[in-house]
Amino acid sequence: MKSFALSAITLALTVGAAQLAHAEVITQWSFNSITPDGATGTGSALPSVGAGSLSLIGGVTTPSFNSGVGSSDPAASDNSGLQTTTYGAQGSGNATRGIEVKVDASGFEDVVFSYDLRHSNTSSRYELAQYSLDGVNFIDYAVFDSGLGDTWFNARTIDLSSIAGADHNANLAFRVVATFAPGTSGYLASDATKTFAGSGTWRFDMVSVSGTALPVPEPTSAAAALAGLAAIGFLARRRRAA
């Protein structure tokens, strides 16, 4: 009798755990053309998964899309990246120019923001990743060093799983901005043999926000769990009656 009760408990707990949580992409930008056209110089700035906004900040412009080959995008063809430029003159605009992403992460926890970034030779070597819990006030997360030009740096990550207030947040926002070399008042070029230029480019791909969803258990799973709990209650009543 005891072993049957333990089996019922195990069943209930196992079913509950299986339905408790799973990680998924909330919003993602691949920048590929909505209808593949075989041209990496065309693309779309609309989310390829989910909903959200991606904007250029601080005067940055996007002259074109360009090849995303080398990024983590699994697309075998028509792989585009978002080309950005106009990052300001040397010694000005520190940590103000780049991209900003806003996403409603209601119903999700352990939120992670990630992106791939290709630095041109004369672009800023250092990028500052920031996050915001209210969509207005931004907090510095990390400065990434990209000491190679014309090179993709994939899966740069802001992990908010340990940040109070990030779970189930409808107003999450993220920024990736060009920043001065640490401890200085100026930018360094990604290629150490080159000179920084505001006309240098950053090319983004696979800009993603993911998280762990906590769904309502499926009806069949909930029924199985309830059946296990009911069996436990029945055995308990029989034992008292005996």
Side-chain angles (χ1 to χ4, degrees):
M1 185 179 300
K2 182 180 293 186
S3 62
F4 180 80
L6 290 175
S7 297
I9 293 173
T10 301
L11 172 64
L13 293 177
T14 300
V15 170
Q19 292 299 315
L20 180 62
H22 63 281
E24 62 183 79
V25 173
I26 302 170
T27 307
Q28 185 175 82
W29 288 262
S30 71
F31 304 113
N32 301 335
S33 299
I34 295 175
T35 300
D37 57 11
T40 59
T42 60
S44 173
L46 296 175
S48 49
V49 177
S53 68
L54 187 152
S55 57
L56 308 177
I57 58 174
V60 168
T61 61
T62 175
S64 65
F65 294 92
N66 212 318
S67 173
V69 174
S71 74
S72 62
D73 191 337
S77 61
D78 204 56
N79 181 359
S80 302
L82 181 70
Q83 187 97 321
T84 63
T85 190
T86 318
Y87 278 91
Q90 178 62 279
S92 67
N94 183 41
T96 62
R97 297 182 179 230
I99 66 166
E100 178 178 290
V101 169
K102 291 187 175 182
V103 172
D104 180 352
S106 299
F108 292 88
E109 62 181 7
D110 299 334
V111 176
V112 174
F113 172 70
S114 63
Y115 60 95
D116 300 346
L117 181 56
R118 181 184 186 275
H119 293 240
S120 72
N121 287 323
T122 60
S123 69
S124 174
R125 170 175 173 169
Y126 294 95
E127 71 212 56
L128 171 63
Q130 303 173 308
Y131 70 92
S132 173
L133 301 180
D134 59 10
V136 178
N137 301 292
F138 283 82
I139 300 166
D140 293 350
Y141 181 84
V143 173
F144 295 112
D145 181 355
S146 306
L148 291 173
D150 292 344
T151 301
W152 281 99
F153 294 86
N154 295 342
R156 300 293 208 199
T157 299
I158 296 179
D159 186 345
L160 300 186
S161 59
S162 63
I163 303 299
D167 294 346
H168 313 295
N169 191 318
N171 300 302
L172 286 182
F174 304 90
R175 284 180 177 175
V176 182
V177 291
T179 188
F180 293 162
T184 75
S185 57
Y187 302 103
L188 283 183
S190 295
D191 184 333
T193 68
K194 305 294 183 181
T195 300
F196 168 80
S199 58
T201 62
W202 278 3
R203 191 182 309 167
F204 291 87
D205 205 354
M206 298 304 285
V207 176
S208 308
V209 180
S210 59
T212 301
L214 297 177
V216 176
E218 297 176 4
T220 54
S221 299
L226 289 174
L229 293 174
I232 295 169
F234 173 73
L235 292 172
R237 287 194 298 273
R238 286 192 59 183
R239 179 172 296 179
R240 285 197 299 270

